[in-house]
Amino acid sequence: MESVLEDRARIGVPDAILLEDYLNESVFIDNLKKRYQQNIIYTYIGQVVISVNPYTDLGLYTEDCLEKYRNVNFYEVPPHVFAITENAYRSMVAETTDHCILISGESGAGKTEASKQVLRFLAATSLHRREMDRVRDRLLQSNPLLEAFGNAKTNRNDNSSRFGKYMDIEFNFKGDPVGGHILNYLLEKSRVVHQEEGERNFHIFYQLLAGAPDELLEKLHLQRDANNYFYLKQGESCTVDSVNDRADFEAVDHALDILSFTTEEQEAIWDVVGAILHLGNVAFKADDDGLARVKDETPIVNCSKLIGCDKDVLRKALTHRTIEARGDIVTSPLNPEQAVYARDALAKSVYERVFNWLVVRLNHSLESPESGRKTLLGILDIYGFEIFDKNGFEQFCINYCNEKLQQVFIELTLRSEQEEYYREGIEWEKVQYFDNKIICDLVEEKHKGIISLLDEECLRPGDATDLTFLNKMNSHLATHNHYFSYETSDNSKDEFSQKKRPVTAATQFKNSLAGLMTILMSKEPSYIRCIKPNDDKRSYYFDEERVSHQVKYLGLMENLRVRRAGFAYRRAYEIFLGRYKSVCPATWPKYNGPAKDGVMAIVQHLGYHPDDYRMGETKLFIRLPKTLFLTEDAFQKRKQELATMIQAKWKAFVCQRKYKKMKAAATVLAKHWRRVLAQRLRVRRKWAVGVVRAFVKGFITRNDPVNPTNARFQQLVKCEFLLRLAKSLPKSVLDTRWPDSPAPCANASAVLHSMHRTYLARKYVKALQPEKRAMFEEKVLAEQLFKGEGQLP
């Protein structure tokens, strides 16, 4: 929900029931315009989707977008065709009831695209199993085939559906699509033989010429230039910039393969399409008697070959009329004008039969092989209500169909509103609206309606013409408040329509339409109302007057008034509580009691006035949009607060996570460093142990001759002895003391003792005075002279 106040001012509200001035059509249209200008093409009226054609790709149907709308609540996501499809699908599965999605709007409003996206979304609901993939592919491939044979370029739409389509998709008890069935209504077969300027025939003709292989065209005796064929060039618009006929032919060819059309069936289809093109080139001239003769036999020959008919039989069928009356067969020649009518009638009839056969063949391909309980979800893509300067019989039927659908829309909408208020115990307020049943009765009432008068006129004696039929209607319906013709007004001079033979077509269409209404009334409906913003197919251009016209005949304001009859907003208690529980301390973060009590707590906390709401059995009803807006704004404010709290918690979490990572890193580093230190200590200890062990061994073997074991010890002993000796050396030559020495140092000790004695003596001598020195020298000399002289014999 676009809830922030400035957003509401800029892009409007997503649900028109939230408009304050909901009775004002200009306010309603302005809301659509605001959203359209922001590339928001979808708006709700309750559970009705309004779609405004953007005439450009806004990226609204990507796979990511599709997944966004799967398995979510209807109001949890912005308005979208996927949202209403998901809602209908979930209701069908949960309630095991049949549903349908009704798509309506003018030609060019986007109905075909909406139906394709609905079908695509439903096909994507199945799991990717082989059988489900087969069904899904066939459902999806039915679209390009039907579009090729049933769609055409018109002045209002480059891909306009020229037939009505209702498609039932069958689902098994698990909710997987298992098959489908198609009903078609009122193919615009007149387009086969005539197109207005700027329009084209059905797509398939141009696709065949543009995309078929050369060998196929040669087999069909066709040329690629569409301007060579009378049935294709009348609108002078054989090529369309927005349509790629070559690529579309490839898509059709692929679809025929996926849908299991045999080679023979495909060849038969192309033969008939080619035959119709040749048939359109059959021209007539008048002979001397004014009777029709074929100008050129070549188209007759080519056409007869393709349809398997003798050329003479075909020629006679086009230039003669055969009537059977009371068992007698009467053949009469035709003039050129009548022959052209016969040619065109044959072309229209053949094409219609091919189209109907394709639908039957598609239904056979989509037929479900599964048995057991199934539920249906229907998609109705019907032609749009339109008024042209000249409206033929087919347009009359189209508009009649739309009136019937509008009747169903109003009836079911009112009924669903009344039933919801009744279920919830809420008092219903009467709503005034225009009931178009009187319009439908004007068309279909027995013996009095336009169709009955048409049938009577066609059965009257004599020639029935447009003028006689108009006079009959003027005489029978002139007093009807909703009947208008140029004869009953002050400015009419034109005829009602072109000459038709409508009895069978009108009656059949009325009966088939009645059957469709029965189907729709038996299902729970959902609605997609398509609007074209302008007649020029321009992107980003919103013609308010043009939109206003569509809003009126689609009955959107009536629907809005019905929806707003009592309360603008209603939500199940569980959904309301789930969204707004944060605004009330009593329900945040979790409410353990009944959802209804939780909603009551929220309502009381926000200070709702008693007249502003009602508590139903399962839903809360809010009367005015401003009450919901205040609630929504309180929720947005609370979201900001919660966002701040979440942000703070997140920052704390991030910091804690960062701290833990840093702590873990520090622990790793410390562990590694402790390991390194331990390794170093171990090395030192091992070295110390070696040193101690070597010392002990050296001590034990200290008295042995020098060997590797005691060499170091003895060196230490010698060092220690020398250090000790250095501290205890005699200071005087007269001091004869000498420290004891270890055994390894005995020799060294003796040498050192002698050297030290010499040193002391020399020192002593150097310190003597010359007189004493001379005296000592004399004594030494005397000693040497008399050495041994004084000994006794």
Side-chain angles (χ1 to χ4, degrees), residues 743-754:
C745 300
N747 294 335
S749 178
V751 173
L752 290 174
H753 188 190
S754 175

Side-chain angles (χ1 to χ4, degrees), residues 633-652:
D633 291 339
F635 173 59
Q636 296 299 327
K637 181 180 178 181
R638 180 59 175 162
K639 278 204 304 186
Q640 296 298 325
E641 297 172 357
L642 293 176
T644 302
M645 294 171 58
I646 292 172
Q647 189 179 42
K649 292 288 186 182
W650 175 252
K651 287 181 178 179

Side-chain angles (χ1 to χ4, degrees), residues 279 282-285 287 290-295 297 300 311-322 331-343 346:
L279 188 61
V282 176
F284 303 94
K285 61 182 179 181
D287 61 9
L291 301 179
R293 292 290 182 269
V294 175
K295 287 184 178 180
E297 289 287 327
I300 290 285
K311 66 179 185 300
D312 295 331
V313 174
L314 178 59
R315 185 192 310 107
K316 184 176 181 180
L318 296 177
T319 56
H320 292 74
R321 175 171 54 193
T322 301
T331 301
S332 58
L334 303 175
N335 60 38
E337 181 182 356
Q338 292 171 329
V340 169
Y341 180 84
R343 178 199 67 186
L346 177 60

Side-chain angles (χ1 to χ4, degrees), residues 76-94:
E76 290 179 359
V77 285
H80 200 286
V81 65
F82 289 162
I84 197 169
T85 308
E86 168 71 12
N87 189 58
Y89 171 74
R90 292 299 162 193
S91 298
M92 178 199 70
V93 173

Side-chain angles (χ1 to χ4, degrees), residues 43-63:
T43 305
Y44 289 144
I45 300 179
Q47 292 191 344
V48 175
V49 178
I50 305 171
S51 172
V52 185
N53 194 340
Y55 291 116
T56 188
D57 184 5
L58 298 178
L60 299 177
Y61 309 115
T62 62
E63 290 297 328

Side-chain angles (χ1 to χ4, degrees), residues 8 31 52 61 84 93 97 201 287 290 350 409 447 453 506 535 542 585 651 682 686 699 727 755:
R8 290 199 291 268
N31 186 63
V52 185
Y61 309 115
I84 197 169
V93 173
T97 56
N201 207 323
D287 61 9
V350 170
F409 175 70
H447 309 303
L453 296 177
D535 284 329
F542 191 93
K651 287 181 178 179
R682 174 179 175 276
K686 185 175 181 181
F699 174 77
K727 295 177 181 179
M755 290 176 64

Side-chain angles (χ1 to χ4, degrees), residues 226-278:
N227 290 298
N228 291 331
Y229 301 97
F230 176 73
Y231 281 165
L232 304 185
K233 65 181 181 180
Q234 296 175 63
E236 299 180 356
S237 182
C238 290
T239 58
V240 184
D241 293 338
S242 63
V243 177
N244 188 334
D245 292 316
R246 178 185 293 272
D248 290 342
F249 178 83
E250 294 176 357
V252 170
D253 192 50
H254 177 68
L256 290 171
D257 292 334
I258 294 296
L259 293 165
S260 301
F261 279 74
T262 65
T263 302
E264 293 75 14
E265 289 173 330
Q266 295 185 36
E267 290 177 352
I269 292 172
W270 303 133
D271 286 347
V272 172
V273 173
I276 292 174
L277 293 180
H278 289 300

